[in-house]
Amino acid sequence: MASRKLIIDGNEIEAEETITLLQACEQAGAEIPRFCYHERLSVAGNCRMCLVEWVGAPKLQASCALQVRDIFPNKDGTPAKINTNSAPVKKAREGAMEFLLINHPLDCPICDQGGECDLQDQAMAYGRASFHRFNENKRAVEDKYMGPLIKTIMTRCIQCTRCVRFATEVAGVPELGATGRGEEMEITTYLQQAFTSELSGNVVDLCPVGALTSKPYAFNARPWELKKTESIDVMDAMGANIRVDTRGRQVMRVLPRNNDEVNEEWISDKARHARDGLSCQRLDKPYVRKGGKLVPASWTEAFAAISSRMKNCSPQRMAAIVGDLAAAEEIKALKDLMTGLGVVSLDCRQDGAKLTASPRQGYLFNTTIAGVEVADLVLLIGTNLRWEAPVLNARMRKLWLNTNVRFANIGKAYDLTYPVTQLGETADVLQALVDGRHEFSNTLRDAKRPMLVIGPGAYCRPDGAAILKLAARLAMDTGMIGPAGVHEGGWNGFNVLHTAASRVAGMDIGFLPGDGGRDLDGILAGAQSGEIELVYLLGADEIDTERLGNAFVIYQGTHGDAGAHRADVILPGAAYTEKSGLYANFEGRVQMANRASFPPGEAKEDWAILRALSEVLGRPLPYDDIDGVRKALAAQCGVYASQGLPVQPGADPQIWNAIGVAGQVEGAMALASPIRDFYLTNPIARASETMAECSRLFVAGDLKLAAE
Amino acid sequence: MSVRRLAPDEVQPSSFSFSPANKDRVDQWIAKYPDGRQASAVIAALWIGQEQEGWVSKAMIEHIAGLLRMPFIRVLEVATFYTMFNLAPVGEFLVQVCTTTPCMLRGSDEVVAACKKHIHPHPHTVSSDGKFSWMEVECLGACVNAPMLQIGSDFYEDLDGPKTEALIEALRRGEVPQPGPQNGRRSSEPLGGATTLLDRAAIIRGPDAAHDRGQAIEGNAKISGEVGTAAPISPGTAR
């Protein structure tokens, strides 16, 4: 890539032509203050804070809006000289600060942004220190309604328009705008309706001042009194990198962490705002059902109840199901415990997915999240990306904005914020594509880097295995499978989209029916008919608990949700913020969530509960600490030995032939995403008042997200 | 200028549509832009809508947004940005009084006072008979005939208090006063008639001057014609 020499503050640097002067200055080690500029949004250039001096130019330059390729060398051929700290620059910054502060209220002591406010920090660093001349009255602006998640104090707004650009560009929901002009310019949604995006919370992070703040977090805490813990989000299977801020035992807020390979710096509203569910409806002590009623018990009593029931039960009549939020460690511990007991009816696919344990590529998002950005055709099969992985959907939208990619969809059509060619609703269309009978077949074959995304709307159906087989066939036939390593020039366009954070780990560990074992449907049918007498639920709440019949149900989990209501013994576990755990996202990327706080009451970390139970059952698990579990886990699946994303082996036809089971696909039924309500997909979200309000407003109410 | 908001719901019409003739005009504007860039016609569409209704309503904004396939907020942004779009109902005659410096120096205060007296004490408010509303505007570019006001697309110039009152009353009676200077002068000529260039024979019509250089030099008095294509040629530069 072409580059240019620049002398920035006396240091000569070589800067790529495609970057902006602001970025070049940062590469040279200079700090450039800014308000409106944000590297993931388009350039607005309206705050004037990033002015720098280009020696010889008549005026100071807005460095965010000036590309390096436009900076020509001096007449004598020497590189252009840029000063970021000269007297004119300092004066200009003081002037810009003064203008921004003219109308900015002095309410920092009651502002939630206080302590992490760009305006506050930059006023300290770049403002005029010697005197002030704010003698006029300040402008006052009416606050605007933007929905249940965003609190507005619009007098504080400095009109950087980051939120408007985010809504339009990233979220794809152009509902924010700037009305009026000059001093009367105001940021608002159209007629003050709620901002209907699953990513709306991100505008709070983007806002450099306290104009947009988090409504559920309002007046709750100051940033300096919070303990910050790096963690991983479990609300969907993307594994967004988050930071959990706690005060004492309570999680006060969840913020995104920057990871270009996963979530960039966005998280969904569910990831951000379901946190109040962590302190509601919690299971804080063991319970045992006595005389039809759940009564509090000690750990010893609970274990004794389990032990005595298990003694009278043959392993063939026992089963275990893993829910959506479990970390790899407890899945491993439960698997080892159950296998030790001889139980073979295990399943981690509580959504009824027809995925199989091998090959690993058969249940992963092989293109990788970052790899999506080089695709030129995306075929969606039975998925509603906007609800199943909102941040991935934003990445898809970015792809649509920046390239000539084409999107096509088989299944129910959803509003994904970018145009999608609708090929049909049923799996017949997929069959026609595989046979080459469909008019879209040629387009698919001509694409250089085509990819398909098969969602739970397809693989969770009874004919899911047949659909997977077809998808794998299509992937092979249309050149979706190339050499390994998307970033090394290879390509793999076969992608399975999961919605549960625990699923890939469950599949990796092989928490699946053993020889002669029953799958989810078999377990539930067996429980109904009495052939299964004992079911161990590890946080499994999304199954049909009515179908558990008369089975003895042990529920290990965090919330008093569906599973706990049906349980005979409840073992209180730790939520994702309360334990250190490994999670594999849908790419197969292993990431570690750290413990931010402690579980409530007598609740314990889940792997430790299983270890203690194994002792009572007389089959102690061979590890005594979390490192021991992780060593055992790494010994079983090598990818868990380290964090990150291992490069998948490439184009071996064997792999792709092994995916799915040939069979007849059901032609009449539309492929539809199983998610009925984005805001209420797991026990934590269902316990959250904020999520309940979002659901009421956006899903159940008049403001239907998908029905635009 | 105050914060520009849509008019209250009570006065908002329930629907809006362009008249067939105006729809044709809007379609012509849309056709000027490449496919996918229909949004470029938003100002023209709003303006035609305002010509039809007198003001921009919520229904109009939403109708135009649908027509141009734009989000509602994008049209609202444009409508609130430009003060030439009236966001509340106006009278049949919208009196726009220029109060910028030259008009102010020449007595626009009297014109404003006349409007307050004969229309409504407050600007942007429709008179009791529904015929008039008035507003102050920035320079309309007729400073040489200051003070002035605009009604529709007509300028009424060289006003004072009584003349403004007479104008408003004439309009109220249904008369159509002659636009232009109201003090008897022609265009921006001096009040008592032209004082220079009285000898028409000495005036060489501009376009011909370019063809007849000799005459031009000889006459040494040139004005450019209406088209303004011929620049004066001085002897020194003549080839």
Side-chain angles (χ1 to χ4, degrees):
Chain A
M1 216 172 281
S3 63
R4 264 176 201 220
K5 283 200 172 78
L6 296 172
I7 298 176
I8 296 176
D9 292 340
N11 305 318
E12 184 170 313
I13 69 149
E14 187 99 16
E16 278 175 26
E17 286 198 340
T18 51
I19 66 173
T20 63
L21 179 55
L22 189 147
Q23 288 167 316
C25 288
E26 291 203 319
Q27 284 176 11
E31 189 184 285
I32 308 289
R34 87 289 304 262
F35 293 108
C36 69
Y37 175 80
H38 192 276
E39 58 183 352
R40 297 190 201 281
L41 302 173
S42 64
V43 173
N46 53 9
C47 76
R48 314 313 288 176
M49 199 60 199
C50 65
L51 293 174
V52 296
E53 183 185 12
W54 174 4
V55 176
K59 287 183 181 180
L60 301 182
Q61 304 291 322
S63 61
C64 71
L66 185 65
Q67 282 205 310
V68 168
R69 71 155 65 88
D70 294 329
I71 304 175
F72 45 84
N74 296 328
K75 276 186 182 152
D76 58 3
T78 54
K81 252 180 93 178
I82 308 290
N83 290 331
T84 69
N85 251 329
S86 60
V89 174
K90 279 184 184 156
K91 195 174 167 218
R93 285 173 184 166
E94 286 174 359
M97 277 313 308
E98 210 177 352
F99 274 126
L100 290 172
L101 292 172
I102 274 180
N103 277 321
H104 193 82
L106 284 171
D107 61 353
C108 303
I110 57 151
C111 176
D112 261 331
Q113 192 84 352
E116 50 187 7
C117 174
D118 287 359
L119 193 66
Q120 205 174 33
D121 295 349
Q122 293 184 31
M124 295 301 289
Y126 304 103
R128 185 190 294 278
S130 51
F131 66 97
H132 79 83
R133 42 191 170 185
F134 300 134
N135 299 322
E136 314 295 326
N137 282 334
K138 286 176 189 282
R139 170 200 66 158
V141 183
E142 286 168 28
D143 294 342
K144 309 289 189 293
Y145 176 75
M146 287 195 190
L149 303 178
I150 304 167
K151 182 188 167 191
T152 67
I153 299 100
M154 296 315 281
T155 302
R156 296 179 187 147
C157 178
I158 58 167
Q159 285 100 11
C160 70
T161 68
R162 277 186 189 179
C163 53
V164 177
R165 283 174 283 148
F166 175 85
T168 310
E169 293 160 17
V170 180
V173 182
E175 293 174 357
L176 291 186
T179 63
R181 61 170 146 153
E183 197 178 34
E184 271 78 37
M185 179 168 154
E186 295 185 355
I187 304 291
T188 180
T189 52
Y190 183 68
L191 305 181
Q192 303 207 29
Q193 290 158 352
F195 178 25
T196 56
S197 167
E198 311 74 28
L199 299 170
S200 69
N202 292 298
V203 299
V204 171
D205 292 341
L206 286 172
C207 185
V209 297
L212 306 180
T213 53
S214 169
K215 209 178 244 180
Y217 174 70
F219 307 131
N220 267 347
R222 283 299 192 187
W224 54 83
E225 45 182 26
L226 298 173
K227 193 184 85 179
K228 291 140 185 114
T229 312
E230 299 197 338
S231 187
I232 299 299
D233 171 50
V234 299
M235 296 294 143
D236 56 37
M238 189 169 181
N241 290 203
I242 55 170
R243 194 185 88 191
V244 179
D245 285 6
T246 48
R247 187 174 59 192
R249 240 205 53 215
Q250 202 181 0
V251 175
M252 301 306 291
R253 62 174 177 178
V254 170
L255 297 176
R257 268 191 296 141
N258 207 346
N259 187 337
D260 282 354
E261 295 190 351
V262 185
N263 57 319
E264 299 185 280
E265 59 182 277
W266 321 123
I267 54 173
S268 70
D269 287 349
K270 188 164 45 170
R272 186 186 300 265
H273 288 296
R275 61 104 205 153
D276 60 335
L278 288 167
S279 47
C280 293
Q281 295 268 328
R282 285 303 297 269
L283 302 171
D284 55 358
K285 49 171 105 54
Y287 288 82
V288 176
R289 194 176 289 275
K290 283 180 186 160
K293 274 194 154 179
L294 283 166
V295 291
S298 69
W299 280 104
T300 326
E301 287 166 351
F303 284 160
I306 296 170
S307 165
S308 66
R309 188 68 184 83
M310 276 195 178
K311 273 195 191 111
N312 305 322
C313 191
S314 82
Q316 278 70 39
R317 291 175 164 266
M318 291 199 267
I321 301 168
V322 169
D324 286 353
L325 308 180
E329 287 87 347
E330 56 246 31
I331 303 175
K332 170 70 178 161
L334 185 59
K335 159 98 174 166
D336 287 354
L337 175 63
M338 287 296 157
T339 315
L341 292 168
V343 179
V344 284
S345 297
L346 308 175
D347 210 333
C348 65
R349 304 161 300 182
Q350 65 157 342
D351 52 2
K354 302 292 178 288
L355 300 163
T356 46
S358 84
R360 192 167 189 249
Q361 290 92 327
Y363 57 85
L364 290 186
F365 197 92
N366 295 297
T367 305
T368 72
I369 296 167
V372 160
E373 290 191 13
V374 290
D376 62 354
L377 190 147
V378 182
L379 176 63
L380 307 169
I381 304 167
T383 174
N384 175 6
L385 275 183
R386 193 166 167 191
W387 276 10
E388 288 163 5
V391 181
L392 176 67
N393 195 51
R395 181 90 73 152
M396 291 286 189
R397 180 175 159 80
K398 181 175 159 194
L399 174 69
W400 171 72
L401 282 176
N402 297 336
T403 70
N404 291 322
V405 67
R406 273 192 78 172
F407 291 94
N409 182 50
I410 301 176
K412 230 174 143 271
Y414 299 95
D415 171 19
L416 300 181
T417 72
Y418 41 85
V420 179
T421 311
Q422 176 68 8
L423 301 184
E425 289 207 339
T426 61
D428 288 353
V429 183
L430 186 61
Q431 181 74 58
L433 275 176
V434 172
D435 299 345
R437 291 183 278 117
H438 198 277
E439 54 188 6
F440 197 71
S441 298
N442 288 334
T443 319
L444 199 55
R445 204 165 292 117
D446 293 343
K448 297 273 182 302
R449 289 185 165 211
M451 60 179 277
L452 64 83
V453 179
I454 179 160
Y459 64 70
C460 291
R461 300 184 352 153
D463 60 349
I467 297 178
L468 279 166
K469 184 96 202 160
L470 285 179
R473 261 319 291 276
L474 188 68
M476 274 198 292
D477 292 353
T478 55
M480 289 190 189
I481 314 296
V486 171
H487 300 289
E488 292 77 27
W491 185 248
N492 188 336
F494 182 83
N495 300 293
V496 175
L497 186 81
H498 293 275
T499 53
S502 71
R503 195 77 77 242
V504 168
M507 300 294 290
D508 285 345
I509 292 162
F511 205 92
L512 294 163
D515 284 339
R518 295 161 179 265
D519 64 1
L520 176 81
D521 212 43
I523 294 169
L524 293 175
Q528 258 181 321
S529 66
E531 289 161 48
I532 294 287
E533 293 174 5
L534 184 143
V535 182
Y536 198 110
L537 302 178
L538 181 60
D541 289 291
E542 283 77 24
I543 53 170
D544 183 1
T545 49
E546 296 284 307
R547 291 180 67 195
L548 288 170
N550 292 322
F552 184 82
V553 177
I554 304 155
Y555 179 81
Q556 177 180 344
T558 55
H559 284 71
D561 207 82
H565 282 292
R566 172 59 188 82
D568 294 291
V569 176
I570 293 174
L571 305 175
Y576 71 111
T577 54
E578 295 154 6
K579 62 192 171 196
S580 173
L582 293 171
Y583 292 92
N585 76 351
F586 53 57
E587 302 166 284
R589 181 191 304 272
V590 178
Q591 302 182 107
M592 191 187 287
N594 292 310
R595 182 168 64 200
S597 64
F598 289 91
E602 292 173 42
K604 298 271 185 290
E605 289 190 31
D606 293 87
W607 79 268
I609 296 173
L610 290 159
R611 171 67 182 79
L613 179 61
S614 71
E615 191 87 41
V616 175
L617 296 177
R619 291 178 179 277
L621 293 170
Y623 24 76
D624 297 324
D625 54 23
I626 188 100
D627 287 337
V629 189
R630 287 189 183 139
K631 279 202 186 95
L633 185 57
Q636 190 197 338
C637 343
V639 293
Y640 289 85
S642 60
Q643 293 183 48
L645 185 66
V647 173
Q648 297 298 324
D652 180 358
Q654 295 290 337
I655 297 173
W656 307 99
N657 283 328
I659 294 173
V661 181
Q664 188 61 40
V665 294
E666 165 69 55
M669 197 165 56
L671 300 162
S673 171
I675 297 186
R676 295 269 165 270
D677 189 337
F678 168 73
Y679 296 98
L680 302 175
T681 53
N682 62 53
I684 301 174
R686 282 190 291 269
S688 158
E689 279 180 36
T690 315
M691 289 296 102
E693 194 182 346
C694 287
S695 165
R696 186 178 57 71
L697 199 63
F698 295 124
V699 183
D702 300 331
L703 294 161
K704 283 203 165 53
L705 275 182
E708 279 175 55
Chain B
M1 198 174 99
S2 58
V3 175
R4 288 168 58 76
R5 297 270 165 81
L6 292 185
D9 286 345
E10 303 90 77
V11 300
Q12 292 286 355
S14 57
S15 67
F16 168 83
S17 61
F18 285 110
S19 68
N22 281 340
K23 180 71 177 56
D24 284 348
R25 289 171 68 199
V26 173
D27 287 343
Q28 279 172 26
W29 275 97
I30 294 173
K32 288 185 182 183
Y33 303 103
D35 200 30
R37 305 280 178 189
Q38 294 90 341
S40 300
V42 64
I43 293 180
L46 283 167
W47 185 248
I48 292 166
Q50 176 162 304
E51 282 183 346
Q52 181 179 315
E53 303 291 319
W55 63 290
V56 173
S57 61
K58 175 173 169 251
M60 188 191 295
I61 285 175
E62 292 175 3
H63 178 81
I64 289 172
L67 200 64
L68 305 179
R69 274 176 266 155
M70 295 168 77
F72 292 165
I73 184 77
R74 292 285 102 83
V75 185
L76 181 73
E77 283 178 328
V78 173
T80 55
F81 185 92
Y82 293 106
T83 49
M84 68 180 192
F85 292 123
N86 306 314
L87 298 182
V90 293
E92 189 185 325
F93 301 103
L94 173 60
V95 179
Q96 296 178 298
V97 185
C98 174
T99 54
T100 309
T101 319
C103 281
M104 194 266 275
L105 291 172
R106 296 280 298 145
S108 66
D109 288 357
E110 285 176 46
V111 180
V112 168
C115 290
K116 284 183 178 172
K117 190 172 155 200
H118 286 260
I119 298 176
H120 196 279
H122 299 292
H124 305 286
T125 315
V126 181
S127 61
S128 51
D129 59 2
K131 284 211 159 192
F132 292 92
S133 62
W134 70 277
M135 62 194 280
E136 290 187 27
V137 294
E138 299 304 322
C139 184
L140 290 170
C143 314
V144 74
N145 292 76
M148 59 79 68
L149 55 77
Q150 181 180 9
I151 297 173
S153 48
D154 292 331
F155 279 10
Y156 292 92
E157 302 161 323
D158 295 313
L159 295 166
D160 55 21
K163 287 200 182 83
T164 310
E165 288 173 24
L167 175 68
I168 294 169
E169 289 311 318
L171 287 163
R172 188 165 267 150
R173 288 193 300 273
E175 297 165 18
V176 184
Q178 177 70 27
Q182 302 296 304
N183 61 351
R185 70 164 158 163
R186 182 168 164 267
S187 179
S188 52
E189 284 178 358
L191 195 53
T195 56
T196 55
L197 303 176
L198 296 173
D199 182 5
R200 295 194 67 79
I203 304 168
I204 297 159
R205 285 176 54 233
D208 297 338
H211 299 295
D212 196 346
R213 195 193 305 151
Q215 252 190 329
I217 296 165
E218 191 186 0
N220 201 19
K222 295 167 285 293
I223 59 164
S224 52
E226 272 181 62
V227 194
T229 49
I233 302 161
S234 65
T237 57
R239 281 167 291 174

